[in-house]
Amino acid sequence: MTDNLKLPSWLSRGIEEYFPIKGTDQTFSEIIDHAKKNNKKLRVKLGIDPTGTDIHLGHSILFKKLRAFQDNGHIAVLIIGDFTAQIGDPTGKNKTRVQLSEKQVKENAKTYLTQLGMGKPANESILDFDSKDRIEIRYNSEWLKGLNLNSIIELMGSATVSQMLAKEEFNKRYTSQVPIALHEFLYPLLQGYDSVVVQSDIELGGTDQKFNIAIGRDLQRHFKQDPQFGVLLPILTGLDGIKKMSKSEFNTVGLTEDPLSMYSKLEKVPDNIIPNYFELLTELDLSFLENSNPRELQRRMALEVTTLFHGAEEALKAQSNCEKLFLGHKEKVGEIPEISLKEIVFPVKFFYLLSALKLFKSSSESKRSIKGGGVKIDSQKVINPDLVFNSKNDLEGKILQIGKKIIKRFEN
RNA sequence: GGGUCGGUGCCCGAGUGGUUAAAGGGGGCGGACUGUAAAUCCGCUGGCUCUGCCUACGUUGGUUCAAAUCCAACCCGGCCCA
């Protein structure tokens, strides 16, 4: 049986894969179509683990898709994995994942929701928090905290070791003799159990979530529910153009970053991922990609994305400031982030100043960067880390540049 | 539980008594070039208000003028056996 309906474009854009093509009796597109005709609300699950405090563009594509479901009449079931956050998703990289306290997790969750626009009107926020019948926020500790051993055994009984080892991440670790702790097998099961509890019809996730979503289907079947469909979205490549966007790789753009920093980061992204960014982060028709100047594309993409989060006016201002800055017309630039000299005790050595202002991780690093020629004041390279500034007057109003990314204006 | 191998800087990985803040590579950062991209080339890549001082090779103790390197105990991991 083939699927002769097409997915609507609000849903199909930028998705990597959906599965299964055909559920128990209908194809995925039939279900979407049927829901629309009958005004049926589908329950669309998206889980986030509140392990950090910043949401970046990579996450945003999931949330934007979730919003699209909302806008088309469905229910966003946002699961805050406050409980699972404490186990840790076995991503291999995070072997030293810290145990987060309950309090920490709650706070992270709160900042996530704020960043997603909770409290703002729907047209200014990423998710629609206004339409109460289209948003459901659940914390998974609600049901996971009290699971008793019997239930846990039941969950564990529903999957096999070889299923688990089929998962690429586990498999890689197993074959390369990197330890896998038993409790790590629990993570997919618990995440899958979330689907059972919230009775999800569709689960959204990155392609790396395929396994977990599939486990969710198994468990739903086990608990006599219709298994969910999975919609997999691509993993956004980070600013380096190579690795996935992730806080630990320092290649992210945060949703709440100021326009200038957002624009300037995006505008220097490698060429090869530009089309990808256009497709995943904007709503533009992509036909113009074919014959455009690559430099223009960078600028346009940066502008579009910045507009999305800060509005057209702010974005244009950022673009113009950014360009003026690199052309050297600093005096015309009004929007450079300021950095306060209040806490500084003069006289002060240059390297110590930068370290004290937290512009570098350490004073040694500050010193090295200065020596290496990476630091400018008013466009002049300053390469003497021991240069002494005697008073605020030496610096006030001047513009500091560190590498290509950091630009600050000294203020009292 | 027994046997065996192993635990080195952000990561991988060399080093098996003496300028060792620790080869080499990757990654990262900075510079030149460029389109603020890529490629290439060059430099930097433990901390400290720093011509010096302090921490570092799983942990703790020991041997020695001197240890990442030798010894002991412990902790952690892989594999084989049970």
Side-chain angles (χ1 to χ4, degrees), chain A residues 96 160 183 218 364:
Chain A
T96 50
T160 68
H183 77 278
D218 290 346
S364 303

Side-chain angles (χ1 to χ4, degrees), chain A residues 292-351:
Chain A
S292 295
N293 172 298
R295 178 73 189 123
E296 276 313 304
L297 285 180
Q298 279 181 323
R299 297 182 62 235
R300 179 151 178 207
M301 185 277 289
L303 186 65
E304 289 292 340
V305 176
T306 309
T307 300
L308 228 50
F309 295 100
H310 293 287
E313 196 184 330
E314 285 295 315
L316 278 168
K317 224 191 285 180
Q319 181 175 59
S320 119
N321 280 334
C322 197
E323 259 141 49
K324 279 185 204 154
L325 198 65
F326 280 95
L327 292 172
H329 301 145
K330 304 222 164 40
E331 59 291 346
K332 294 183 193 150
V333 181
E335 301 292 315
I336 297 180
E338 300 179 346
I339 188 155
S340 169
L341 294 170
K342 270 205 183 76
E343 309 291 318
I344 304 299
V345 181
F346 288 89
V348 65
K349 286 188 182 170
F350 193 33
F351 80 91

Side-chain angles (χ1 to χ4, degrees), chain A residues 262-275:
Chain A
M262 190 179 257
Y263 181 89
S264 58
K265 278 183 176 180
L266 286 169
E267 177 231 29
K268 63 187 293 293
V269 130
D271 290 347
N272 59 313
I273 57 169
I274 299 269

Side-chain angles (χ1 to χ4, degrees), chain A residues 51 84 106 143 211 235 386-387 400 408:
Chain A
T51 48
T84 33
K106 286 271 185 285
W143 53 86
F211 181 81
I235 306 290
D386 295 318
L387 184 67
L400 173 78
K408 302 275 184 191

Side-chain angles (χ1 to χ4, degrees), chain A residues 180-247:
Chain A
I180 302 169
L182 283 177
H183 77 278
E184 296 189 61
F185 285 160
L186 225 37
Y187 186 92
L189 293 170
L190 295 182
Q191 185 178 323
Y193 186 59
D194 290 348
S195 292
V196 174
V197 174
V198 304
Q199 307 197 14
S200 73
D201 297 307
I202 298 172
E203 175 159 2
L204 240 48
T207 50
D208 56 352
Q209 292 299 310
K210 186 170 184 177
F211 181 81
N212 294 348
I213 294 175
I215 292 284
R217 290 173 50 78
D218 290 346
L219 286 176
Q220 285 177 309
R221 230 182 326 248
H222 178 83
F223 288 97
K224 311 279 184 270
Q225 288 181 19
D226 283 341
Q228 62 190 355
F229 282 82
V231 173
L232 302 181
L233 303 179
I235 306 290
L236 190 71
T237 307
L239 295 175
D240 53 16
I242 300 164
K243 283 176 265 194
K244 74 169 187 180
M245 185 172 283
S246 148
K247 199 146 189 231

Side-chain angles (χ1 to χ4, degrees), chain A residues 386-400:
Chain A
D386 295 318
L387 184 67
V388 174
F389 296 100
N390 289 308
S391 76
K392 276 181 188 155
N393 299 335
D394 291 350
L395 291 168
E396 220 173 312
K398 294 195 175 170
I399 292 173
L400 173 78

Side-chain angles (χ1 to χ4, degrees), chain A residues 20-188:
Chain A
I21 304 293
K22 187 179 183 307
T24 25
D25 53 358
Q26 282 174 307
T27 66
F28 186 46
S29 39
E30 276 165 2
I31 283 182
I32 300 289
D33 191 53
H34 183 261
K36 187 181 175 188
K37 284 186 184 140
N38 298 282
N39 257 329
K40 180 178 185 307
K41 293 179 192 305
L42 295 170
R43 300 175 58 78
V44 185
K45 173 193 168 198
L46 175 63
I48 50 171
D49 275 359
T51 48
T53 50
D54 281 319
I55 298 188
H56 56 65
L57 290 179
H59 303 120
S60 79
I61 60 183
L62 288 163
F63 292 114
K64 280 177 48 196
K65 188 60 77 184
L66 188 59
R67 172 65 184 264
F69 272 104
Q70 288 187 300
D71 290 345
N72 284 278
H74 303 293
I75 305 173
V77 183
L78 187 64
I79 307 241
I80 313 273
D82 61 339
F83 190 85
T84 33
Q86 302 189 25
I87 305 181
D89 192 8
T91 59
K93 288 226 154 188
N94 299 328
K95 36 186 157 176
T96 50
R97 189 162 196 162
V98 273
Q99 291 283 317
L100 297 169
S101 69
E102 209 176 310
K103 197 176 146 213
Q104 185 66 52
V105 164
K106 286 271 185 285
E107 270 168 31
N108 288 346
K110 215 158 100 193
T111 57
Y112 274 21
L113 291 172
T114 310
Q115 290 174 73
L116 291 174
M118 186 151 88
K120 286 194 205 160
N123 60 352
E124 288 177 26
S125 68
I126 295 174
L127 286 183
D128 179 353
F129 290 94
D130 277 351
S131 316
K132 296 298 171 209
D133 56 337
R134 292 186 189 175
I135 181 91
E136 199 176 303
I137 300 169
R138 306 285 293 269
Y139 292 79
N140 68 7
S141 59
E142 181 196 325
W143 53 86
L144 293 182
K145 213 171 172 176
L147 272 192
N148 62 29
L149 191 53
N150 288 336
S151 320
I152 296 170
I153 290 172
E154 182 179 359
L155 287 179
M156 296 189 80
S158 71
T160 68
V161 170
S162 64
Q163 265 175 346
M164 289 293 162
L165 288 179
K167 181 180 179 175
E168 191 187 352
E169 183 52 44
F170 284 137
N171 194 286
K172 228 165 51 195
R173 284 211 264 159
Y174 185 68
T175 50
S176 60
Q177 309 191 334
V178 176
I180 302 169
L182 283 177
H183 77 278
E184 296 189 61
F185 285 160
L186 225 37
Y187 186 92

